[in-house]
Amino acid sequence: MAVNVDPIHQFELKPLVSLGHIGSQEIAFTQSALYMFAAVGVIALITIAATASRSVVPGRMQSLAEIFYEFIADTLHQATGDGGKKFMPLVFSLFMFVLILNLFGMIPYAFAVTSHLIITFGLAALVIGVVIGYGVMKHGSHFFGLFVPSGVPKPLLAILVPIEIISFVSRPISLSVRLFANVLAGHIAMKIFAFFVAALLSAGAWSVLSPLPLALTIALTALEFLVAALQAYVFATLTAIYLNDALHPGH
Amino acid sequence: MAQPNPLTHPSPNADTQLGAHTEHPAPHGAAFPPFETHTFLSQLIWLAIAFGLLYYLMDKIALPRIQAILHERSNRLSSDLDEAQRMKAEADTAGAAYEKSLSDAQAKARDIAQGTRNTLAAEAETKRKALEAELNQKLAASEATIRTRTTEAMGNVRGIAGETASAIVERLTGQAPDQTALDRALDRAVTAH
C-alpha cells in the first residue's frame, strides 16, 4: 500500500548511466533522456519512415504525417503570414516533441518528461532566444520598437514601455510554466484519484464507494489526453505568435 | 506550486535539499523532483541533444519530403484537372461537330426528297399533259368523223326519201313522177322542215 502512495514519486529522475559531475550538477543519462530520444524516434518513424514511399495516395501513417504537417503549416501561416515559412521546422519540431512526450506520459508507469520545469523552460527559452536573435538580426534596433507602442503620447511611454518589457520577459515563463503545470497537475490528480480507488477497496465497507474515484480517474484520463494534445498545440501556436513579433516588430 | 509536497510526508528539509549538494537525489520523494536543481544541467544537455537531433531530422529530411509529397500531389491533381478540362472541351467540340453533321445530313436528305418530289411531279405533269393533248386530238378526230358520217347519212336520207316518194307516187298514180318535180318537192320539204 505504502509503495506508490506518493503522487510525486512518478516525477523522479532515475539515472540509468551516471556520467559524473560538473560542480554540483550530476550528469547522467536518465529515463527522461531515454524518453526524449524515444520521442525523437517515434517522430522520425511517423514523419520519415512512413513517408519513405512518397506515395501520391498516402497510407495511414503517411496521412498522419501529412495531417500534422498541414496542421502546423496552417497554424504558422495564420500567425505569421508568408514570412514565417522558415520557422516551420522549429514549430513543427516543438509541436511534435511536446505532443509525443505528453502522450508518452499518458502510458501507465511511463515518465512524463514535460512535467519537469527545466525541460519546458529550455524549450521556451529556445523560442524566445530565436525571437530575439532573429528580430535583432533582421531588424536591428527596430526590433526594440516592439516595446514602444506607436501613437502614444510621450509621458505615457514612461509607463507603457516597462509594461511591454515585462510582458515580453514573462513570455518564456508563462510558456514554460503553462505546459509544466498542466502536465504535473494532471498526473498528480490522476495518481491521487487512482490511489483513492485502492484505498477505498481496502477499507472494508467503504469499498462500495470505490467506483466513484474510479469513474473520476477514467474521466481525468480522458481529460489528460485532451490536455496533452491541447498543450502541445498551445505551445506551437504561442511560438508562432511570438515569432510573428520577430518578423513584424511594428506595433 | 510553491509548496512542493501537498500530500506526502511533511519534509522540513525539502527546502534545504533544493539545490543541495546531495549525492543521493531524494530517493524517497522527499524533495520535489522538478525543482531539484542539481539535475537541471543534465536535463538541458540531453534536451539539447535530443531536440537538436529532432530539429535536424525534421529540417533536412522529414519536412522537405512531406512538402515534396504534398506539392507533387497538388501538381498531379491540377494537371489531372486540366487534362479532364481539356478532354471535356474536346468531347464538347466532337459533340457539336456530330450535331452539325447530323443537321447537315438531315437538311441534305430534305433537299433530296424535295427535289425528287419536284421532278416526279413535273414528269407526271408533262405525261398528263401529253395524254390530255392526245385524248383531245382523238376526241376532235372522232367528232369530225361523226360530223362527216352525219352529213353523209343526211345525203343518203334525201336519196332514200326521193326513192320512197317516187315509189309511193308510182303506186298511187301508176306513173313515175317527174324527176325535176320530185327534186323541187324534196327541196321544199327540206327547207320547210
Side-chain angles (χ1 to χ4, degrees):
Chain A
M1 256 294 291
V3 184
N4 272 337
V5 177
D6 180 4
I8 303 301
H9 177 80
Q10 57 178 323
F11 303 116
E12 255 171 45
L13 289 170
K14 296 186 181 70
L16 303 174
V17 183
S18 191
L19 300 171
H21 292 77
I22 298 177
S24 66
Q25 296 287 322
E26 186 187 10
I27 309 299
F29 189 83
T30 59
Q31 95 274 39
S32 169
L34 185 65
Y35 276 96
M36 285 194 265
F37 284 108
V40 173
V42 166
I43 297 165
L45 216 61
I46 295 172
T47 59
I48 296 174
T51 57
S53 63
R54 293 179 165 81
S55 316
V56 173
V57 179
R60 282 185 206 172
M61 290 306 274
Q62 191 185 317
S63 286
L64 191 65
E66 288 173 11
I67 288 167
F68 280 136
Y69 178 92
E70 291 191 319
F71 177 62
I72 294 303
D74 280 352
T75 305
L76 187 60
H77 189 263
Q78 275 171 18
T80 63
D82 286 330
K85 278 198 180 116
K86 58 178 84 65
F87 294 119
M88 181 64 188
L90 176 66
V91 180
F92 187 80
S93 301
L94 281 170
F95 174 74
M96 294 305 286
F97 195 60
V98 173
L99 177 69
I100 298 298
L101 286 178
N102 283 353
L103 290 177
F104 273 177
M106 293 307 296
I107 300 170
Y109 298 104
F111 176 76
V113 178
T114 42
S115 68
H116 274 251
L117 182 58
I118 190 65
I119 297 292
T120 62
F121 184 77
L123 294 173
L126 171 69
V127 171
I128 297 303
V130 169
V131 168
I132 295 174
Y134 183 82
V136 170
M137 191 190 82
K138 190 83 178 176
H139 302 283
S141 58
H142 283 296
F143 175 68
F144 297 105
L146 189 63
F147 304 127
V148 186
S150 58
V152 175
K154 280 260 161 67
L156 267 181
L157 283 180
I159 309 166
L160 282 178
V161 169
I163 292 176
E164 290 283 342
I165 290 174
I166 290 167
S167 91
F168 187 86
V169 170
S170 66
R171 279 175 179 181
I173 300 167
S174 70
L175 192 59
S176 54
V177 169
R178 182 182 300 110
L179 175 58
F180 153 75
N182 266 286
V183 175
L184 183 85
H187 280 76
I188 290 175
M190 281 196 291
K191 188 86 178 184
I192 290 172
F193 281 106
F195 163 69
F196 279 165
V197 181
L200 281 171
L201 277 176
S202 60
W206 291 108
S207 60
V208 291
L209 289 176
S210 61
L212 290 174
L214 178 64
L216 256 172
T217 308
I218 292 168
L220 267 177
T221 307
L223 180 72
E224 284 311 305
F225 271 106
L226 177 73
V227 167
L230 195 69
Q231 286 305 319
Y233 171 63
V234 167
F235 202 97
T237 307
L238 286 175
T239 300
I241 290 170
Y242 297 161
L243 286 169
N244 187 42
D245 281 344
L247 288 159
H248 316 105
H251 235 285
Chain B
M1 205 108 13
Q3 31 170 332
N5 301 336
L7 275 192
T8 39
H9 3 272
S11 54
N13 58 343
D15 286 339
T16 53
Q17 281 198 356
L18 274 179
H21 303 230
T22 36
E23 289 297 323
H24 29 79
H28 307 295
F32 188 57
F35 291 157
E36 284 177 344
T37 51
H38 68 96
T39 64
F40 281 5
L41 182 62
S42 173
Q43 292 201 64
L44 281 178
I45 290 170
W46 293 117
L47 173 67
I49 295 170
F51 192 76
L53 175 67
L54 178 67
Y55 185 90
Y56 177 82
L57 289 175
M58 295 300 107
D59 188 35
K60 296 292 171 210
I61 304 175
L63 296 183
R65 186 186 289 174
I66 297 173
Q67 196 171 14
I69 290 170
L70 294 175
H71 196 245
E72 154 83 15
R73 180 172 312 142
S74 76
N75 272 356
R76 181 77 74 87
L77 279 179
S78 64
S79 77
D80 280 5
L81 279 177
D82 287 352
E83 178 74 4
Q85 194 68 37
R86 196 182 60 71
M87 286 173 116
K88 187 180 175 303
E90 235 168 57
D92 282 352
T93 45
Y98 166 75
E99 286 289 335
K100 194 182 167 314
S101 68
L102 188 68
S103 64
D104 280 359
Q106 275 173 347
K108 209 182 219 176
R110 244 196 319 276
D111 283 356
I112 290 171
Q114 190 63 44
T116 316
R117 237 195 322 274
N118 288 346
T119 42
L120 283 179
E123 253 171 48
E125 184 72 9
T126 44
K127 262 188 192 161
R128 191 176 62 79
K129 277 189 177 146
L131 213 57
E132 259 177 17
E134 202 180 326
L135 284 174
N136 284 341
Q137 205 179 330
K138 276 185 179 161
L139 201 64
S142 308
E143 274 173 2
T145 318
I146 289 168
R147 218 173 295 123
T148 44
R149 290 280 158 84
T150 315
T151 42
E152 238 172 68
M154 289 309 277
N156 291 347
V157 165
R158 182 186 168 98
I160 292 165
E163 275 171 29
T164 313
S166 80
I168 290 167
V169 169
E170 200 177 338
R171 186 72 68 79
L172 289 175
T173 62
Q175 195 189 355
D178 182 36
Q179 190 63 42
T180 49
L182 192 62
D183 281 345
R184 225 178 297 133
L186 275 174
D187 285 340
R188 247 198 332 274
V190 168
T191 47
H193 191 66

